[in-house]
mmCIF file of all heavy atoms in Angstrom:
data_model
loop_
_atom_site.group_PDB
_atom_site.id
_atom_site.type_symbol
_atom_site.label_atom_id
_atom_site.label_comp_id
_atom_site.label_asym_id
_atom_site.label_seq_id
_atom_site.Cartn_x
_atom_site.Cartn_y
_atom_site.Cartn_z
ATOM 1 N N SER Z 705 -61.922 -23.831 -103.113
ATOM 2 C CA SER Z 705 -61.959 -24.996 -103.955
ATOM 3 C C SER Z 705 -61.518 -26.212 -103.238
ATOM 4 O O SER Z 705 -61.798 -27.344 -103.589
ATOM 5 C CB SER Z 705 -61.098 -24.728 -105.245
ATOM 6 O OG SER Z 705 -59.724 -24.521 -104.944
ATOM 7 N N ASN Z 706 -60.774 -26.014 -102.138
ATOM 8 C CA ASN Z 706 -60.451 -27.061 -101.181
ATOM 9 C C ASN Z 706 -61.713 -27.958 -100.880
ATOM 10 O O ASN Z 706 -61.610 -29.108 -100.790
ATOM 11 C CB ASN Z 706 -59.970 -26.425 -99.897
ATOM 12 C CG ASN Z 706 -58.985 -27.228 -99.122
ATOM 13 O OD1 ASN Z 706 -59.275 -28.422 -98.807
ATOM 14 N ND2 ASN Z 706 -57.866 -26.705 -98.855
ATOM 15 N N ASN Z 777 -49.174 -27.128 -107.532
ATOM 16 C CA ASN Z 777 -48.552 -26.481 -106.415
ATOM 17 C C ASN Z 777 -47.955 -27.606 -105.542
ATOM 18 O O ASN Z 777 -48.727 -28.557 -105.236
ATOM 19 C CB ASN Z 777 -49.625 -25.719 -105.667
ATOM 20 C CG ASN Z 777 -49.134 -25.218 -104.282
ATOM 21 O OD1 ASN Z 777 -47.971 -25.063 -104.034
ATOM 22 N ND2 ASN Z 777 -50.085 -24.945 -103.489
ATOM 23 N N ASP Z 804 -57.696 -29.801 -110.973
ATOM 24 C CA ASP Z 804 -57.662 -28.561 -110.069
ATOM 25 C C ASP Z 804 -56.875 -27.484 -110.744
ATOM 26 O O ASP Z 804 -55.679 -27.505 -110.976
ATOM 27 C CB ASP Z 804 -56.913 -29.104 -108.790
ATOM 28 C CG ASP Z 804 -56.586 -27.988 -107.799
ATOM 29 O OD1 ASP Z 804 -56.840 -26.825 -108.061
ATOM 30 O OD2 ASP Z 804 -56.152 -28.348 -106.734
ATOM 31 N N TYR Z 807 -54.672 -22.164 -110.332
ATOM 32 C CA TYR Z 807 -53.749 -21.118 -110.989
ATOM 33 C C TYR Z 807 -54.114 -20.891 -112.374
ATOM 34 O O TYR Z 807 -53.241 -20.276 -113.082
ATOM 35 C CB TYR Z 807 -52.340 -21.620 -110.762
ATOM 36 C CG TYR Z 807 -51.961 -21.816 -109.346
ATOM 37 C CD1 TYR Z 807 -52.006 -23.045 -108.679
ATOM 38 C CD2 TYR Z 807 -51.712 -20.707 -108.456
ATOM 39 C CE1 TYR Z 807 -51.748 -23.169 -107.374
ATOM 40 C CE2 TYR Z 807 -51.428 -20.820 -107.136
ATOM 41 C CZ TYR Z 807 -51.506 -22.137 -106.538
ATOM 42 O OH TYR Z 807 -51.149 -22.221 -105.242
ATOM 43 N N THR Z 834 -60.823 -21.413 -108.220
ATOM 44 C CA THR Z 834 -60.912 -20.686 -106.987
ATOM 45 C C THR Z 834 -60.875 -19.186 -107.085
ATOM 46 O O THR Z 834 -60.388 -18.664 -108.089
ATOM 47 C CB THR Z 834 -59.791 -21.132 -106.003
ATOM 48 O OG1 THR Z 834 -60.008 -20.519 -104.778
ATOM 49 C CG2 THR Z 834 -58.441 -20.748 -106.561
ATOM 50 N N SER Z 836 -59.479 -17.686 -104.568
ATOM 51 C CA SER Z 836 -58.495 -17.413 -103.536
ATOM 52 C C SER Z 836 -57.137 -16.925 -104.118
ATOM 53 O O SER Z 836 -56.383 -16.247 -103.434
ATOM 54 C CB SER Z 836 -58.045 -18.746 -102.783
ATOM 55 O OG SER Z 836 -59.144 -19.246 -102.094
ATOM 56 N N LYS Z 837 -56.856 -17.174 -105.382
ATOM 57 C CA LYS Z 837 -55.618 -16.850 -105.914
ATOM 58 C C LYS Z 837 -55.591 -15.486 -106.649
ATOM 59 O O LYS Z 837 -55.538 -14.505 -106.068
ATOM 60 C CB LYS Z 837 -55.110 -18.004 -106.727
ATOM 61 C CG LYS Z 837 -54.968 -19.359 -105.913
ATOM 62 C CD LYS Z 837 -53.770 -19.348 -104.883
ATOM 63 C CE LYS Z 837 -53.945 -20.284 -103.705
ATOM 64 N NZ LYS Z 837 -54.057 -21.674 -104.043
ATOM 65 N N ARG Z 845 -62.877 -17.660 -98.483
ATOM 66 C CA ARG Z 845 -63.090 -19.055 -98.783
ATOM 67 C C ARG Z 845 -64.214 -19.223 -99.800
ATOM 68 O O ARG Z 845 -65.373 -19.457 -99.478
ATOM 69 C CB ARG Z 845 -63.432 -19.841 -97.510
ATOM 70 C CG ARG Z 845 -62.563 -19.676 -96.303
ATOM 71 C CD ARG Z 845 -61.173 -19.964 -96.581
ATOM 72 N NE ARG Z 845 -60.865 -21.229 -97.084
ATOM 73 C CZ ARG Z 845 -60.219 -21.497 -98.238
ATOM 74 N NH1 ARG Z 845 -59.716 -20.488 -99.006
ATOM 75 N NH2 ARG Z 845 -59.997 -22.687 -98.676
HETATM 76 C C1 PLP K 1217 -54.289 -22.669 -103.322
HETATM 77 C C2 PLP K 1217 -54.732 -23.983 -104.052
HETATM 78 C C3 PLP K 1217 -56.055 -24.329 -104.085
HETATM 79 C C4 PLP K 1217 -57.099 -23.404 -103.622
HETATM 80 O O1 PLP K 1217 -57.449 -23.470 -102.348
HETATM 81 P P1 PLP K 1217 -58.804 -22.742 -101.925
HETATM 82 O O2 PLP K 1217 -59.446 -23.676 -101.064
HETATM 83 O O3 PLP K 1217 -59.573 -22.377 -103.099
HETATM 84 O O4 PLP K 1217 -58.348 -21.529 -101.181
HETATM 85 C C5 PLP K 1217 -56.381 -25.486 -104.703
HETATM 86 N N1 PLP K 1217 -55.519 -26.279 -105.351
HETATM 87 C C6 PLP K 1217 -54.223 -25.922 -105.288
HETATM 88 C C7 PLP K 1217 -53.220 -26.717 -106.044
HETATM 89 C C8 PLP K 1217 -53.743 -24.753 -104.665
HETATM 90 O O5 PLP K 1217 -52.429 -24.389 -104.652
#
Side-chain angles (χ1 to χ4, degrees):
S705 60
N706 209 306
N777 168 22
D804 176 351
Y807 300 97
T834 186
S836 296
K837 302 288 157 62
R845 314 303 304 127

